[in-house]
Every structure is written in structure tokens, then in C-alpha cells.
Amino acid sequence: MNRRHLFATAALGLGLAFSGAANAQMDKVKACFVYVGTIGDGGWTQAHHASVTKAQEHFGDKVQFQWQETVPEGADSERVLTQMALSGCNIIFTTSFGYMDPTNAVAAKFPDVKFEHATGFKREHPNVGIYNARFYEGRAIEGLIAGRMTKSNKIGYIASFPIPEVIMGINSYFHNARKVNPDVELSVVWAYTWFNPADEADAAKAMIEQGVDVIAAHTDSTAPLAEIAKSGGNAIGFGQASDMEDYKPTPRVTSIIDDWSPYYIRQIQAVMDGTWISEDTWDGIKDGTVGIGEFTGLPDEVKAEAEAMRDAIADGSYHPFTGPINKQDGSAWLAEGQTAPDGDLLGMGFYIEGITGDIPK
């Protein structure tokens, strides 16, 4: 399985909360984390671990932290989760989509342990919660920059897997690029990986050779930016999950920074207070979970536009999916001024009008 897979059914869980397993106040808590990659991967796992570090600083010796890196999605993760539960972990965060079924399976065996799963859609037990981030908000800002900065009118997107989270990112990127540049064309390369630097670099290289000069990546490594840097200033890109500041001021012109620390602190404190409940959480820019990195290497007017969009998303005055927007086949999706319901986004399985090519099955 691949992480961060969301279906329309996930929307049914948003805003709903189960009464959790019996809660009691605790003086000390052991919080444990399962990582799919290494804490130095430069992207997804590094961002989670940076958030854990902030939580450590917040709680001091009141909370014992434990983590395990490079845990494969599948049977191995169930074994690791079981070991963590047996070792006295009071709350366990599983930070990749492919941990969803193992998380629920182990939670059934340990009803007094709280389990928090990142980006999934199943809460099969009252001691399981779900947390996610509205990454599509950051994609809209990247799209605006792409539309303004492209010289070839060819922009690119390195996609991991054909799941709703990735598809909504592609659509948000393209929609907001085309709003400021109607001539823009999008190339999508499916890498079928979350973290494979060689494949990610190859995807970026292929795009650059085809004349693409702005590339967004929904994969975890810095390889796309490294490949763009080799192009000698012919293209720009964005940091993903972490700031990827080594590539400032260009080719990295901004970044989507995942900051899970407010959520980790809140949920660990809830365990300590005896107030933890099972719920779905989908936070974004306004909550600080989706951070937008420093704008670098951009003309002042583009930087100002990007800052304005960021602030408008944060205060709710702009939604990245605001109609009119049609589906790829020309059928109506959102009318003038209408914004996309969360259910449509969480189950998104279509391209919007103007994107060529098919979504892999």
C-alpha cells in the first residue's frame, strides 16, 4: 500500500468523533512514532521528526519519546507497532498511509493505547485517530508562481501515486497556474514512489529536456531540486515537506513545509489530561500545519502575489478550488464562485479541464 490514500468515504469521518477508550489523567506519557523513511531524508520523514523534536522541547522530561525509522509498510509495521504497545507507549503515531490497516489491527489488541494515523481514512476502533494536512493549499501558491515564472509555458509535476491527495495537488497546481497564465500547459510524470532519488531525478531531467521550466514534486527527496540545479538556471522548483533550504535562493523559490508539531503537542497533552478522543483532523495554512517557505529568487511583484494568496487562504477569503471549474471531459464540476466540498477533494479521481493525459489505474 502507499501512504496518504484518501477516498470519498473519508469525508464521512470529518468532524465526527468517537468516544475514546477509557481516559485517565497521566503525570508522564510515552509517545512513540513510526517512520517510513529516515530522519535525514530531506523531506517527509525529516519534517515529521523535526515536529517531534519541537514536541520534545515543549514537554521536556514529562514525556518520553521513542521512534523507529525505515519501517516498511505492511506486516513489518504491525510487528513494530505491537512491540511499541508492549513496551509501554501510551500514544503511537504512524506517519505513512500504508500503516493504516496495521494501525487498526494492532489498536484492536491494545484498547488502552491511543493510535494516531497520518493521512488515512479508517478509524475502526475508538482508540484510533486520523490526522492530515491540506497540501493542496500550498500547491495553489506554487501554481501561481509557476504560471507567472514560466517562459516556455510548460510546467511540470512529479507525482508519486494516483491517489486523491496527489490528484488534488496536481489539479490545484494547474488551476491556479492557468488563472494567471491561460497559455500554460502541464506535464505529469508518475514516479510510482514516495522516495527514490534516482527515479525522481530522472523525472525532473526528462521534463527539463522537454522544455519544462517550473517543476513541482510530490515525492520526498531533494533529487528533483538537485537535478534542476544542474540545468544552469533553466528551471525552478519547490521544496516539498521540508524547506530544502540548501537550494535557496534558486532553484527552490519557496516550499511546502509540513509542521505537525502543534498537532503532536495537542494530542499528547490530551492523553496527559485524559481528554483524548478519536477524530479526523484536516488542517492547513491557517492552522500552521501547512507552512509556506520563504519566497526567494522571485520578482517583487510575483512574491507579492504569492504572499497575498497565502494570506487569503489563511484567512479564508480564497479557496484554491473556486469555480468555474470543469472536469477534464468538459462536464461541469464547480459553478462560478462555488468552492469544492471536502468530500469531492478527499475522493478526487479526475483531472480538471485543460490537463492532458489519463490518470493511471
Side-chain angles (χ1 to χ4, degrees), residues 136-137 139-150 153 155 170-186 305 308-310 312-313 317-326 333-340 352-355:
Y136 69 88
E137 295 180 343
R139 298 295 177 200
I141 297 168
E142 292 180 348
L144 181 151
I145 292 171
R148 290 297 191 203
M149 293 298 292
T150 180
N153 288 330
I155 65 174
I170 293 169
N171 284 333
S172 179
Y173 180 68
F174 177 72
H175 174 61
N176 286 279
R178 184 157 277 198
K179 285 184 73 171
V180 299
N181 182 351
D183 296 325
V184 79
E185 298 177 354
L186 176 67
E305 277 190 276
M309 178 179 280
R310 176 200 61 200
I313 292 172
S317 59
Y318 179 68
H319 192 294
F321 288 104
T322 301
I325 305 176
N326 292 335
W333 176 39
L334 298 175
E336 177 77 38
Q338 182 183 4
T339 58
I352 61 171
E353 191 172 43
I355 298 178

Side-chain angles (χ1 to χ4, degrees), residues 34-292:
V34 181
Y35 298 148
V36 72
T38 67
I39 59 177
D41 70 358
W44 177 260
T45 295
Q46 181 171 309
H48 278 282
H49 191 65
S51 299
V52 170
T53 300
K54 290 180 183 179
Q56 283 182 295
E57 294 170 352
H58 175 83
F59 286 109
D61 60 6
K62 292 181 181 179
V63 177
Q64 178 185 352
F65 288 84
Q66 176 184 324
W67 54 83
Q68 186 158 336
E69 301 174 68
T70 321
V71 177
E73 298 171 321
D76 283 351
S77 65
E78 188 165 339
R79 175 183 53 79
V80 170
L81 289 170
T82 299
Q83 291 174 342
M84 283 184 167
L86 289 172
S87 75
C89 297
N90 305 111
I91 183 167
I92 301 173
F93 295 87
T94 59
T95 65
S96 190
F97 173 79
Y99 300 144
M100 182 171 62
D101 288 334
T103 297
N104 281 280
V106 177
K109 302 172 185 176
F110 297 92
D112 294 331
V113 178
K114 316 304 181 190
F115 292 81
E116 295 269 0
H117 178 234
T119 72
F121 60 88
K122 289 183 182 178
R123 287 187 296 140
E124 296 176 343
H125 309 286
N127 59 328
V128 177
I130 296 170
Y131 62 107
N132 199 7
R134 296 178 183 269
F135 303 117
Y136 69 88
E137 295 180 343
R139 298 295 177 200
I141 297 168
E142 292 180 348
L144 181 151
I145 292 171
R148 290 297 191 203
M149 293 298 292
T150 180
K151 297 179 177 65
S152 64
N153 288 330
K154 295 180 180 180
I155 65 174
Y157 199 102
I158 302 172
S160 45
F161 294 94
I163 62 175
E165 178 192 318
V166 177
I167 295 167
M168 79 174 83
I170 293 169
N171 284 333
S172 179
Y173 180 68
F174 177 72
H175 174 61
N176 286 279
R178 184 157 277 198
K179 285 184 73 171
V180 299
N181 182 351
D183 296 325
V184 79
E185 298 177 354
L186 176 67
S187 297
V188 179
V189 173
W190 293 96
Y192 293 100
T193 182
W194 293 114
F195 183 81
N196 186 317
D199 288 353
E200 296 171 59
D202 285 347
K205 182 178 180 181
M207 285 185 178
I208 293 168
E209 290 175 348
Q210 295 164 9
V212 172
D213 59 1
V214 187
I215 300 174
H218 202 142
T219 50
D220 291 350
S221 86
T222 60
L225 284 175
E227 192 62 37
I228 295 169
K230 294 179 184 177
S231 72
N234 295 326
I236 59 172
F238 308 95
Q240 163 63 16
S242 297
D243 194 32
M244 301 187 177
E245 64 276 359
D246 288 349
Y247 295 91
K248 291 180 181 178
T250 186
R252 169 242 168 264
V253 294
T254 191
S255 51
I256 296 174
I257 304 171
D258 306 342
D259 185 357
W260 306 101
S261 61
Y263 186 79
Y264 289 157
I265 291 169
R266 185 168 73 240
Q267 297 307 94
I268 293 169
Q269 186 65 54
V271 172
M272 297 181 75
D273 295 342
T275 59
W276 186 96
I277 59 172
S278 169
E279 58 187 345
D280 284 2
T281 304
W282 200 18
D283 290 337
I285 290 177
K286 74 178 179 63
D287 311 286
T289 303
V290 177
I292 304 301

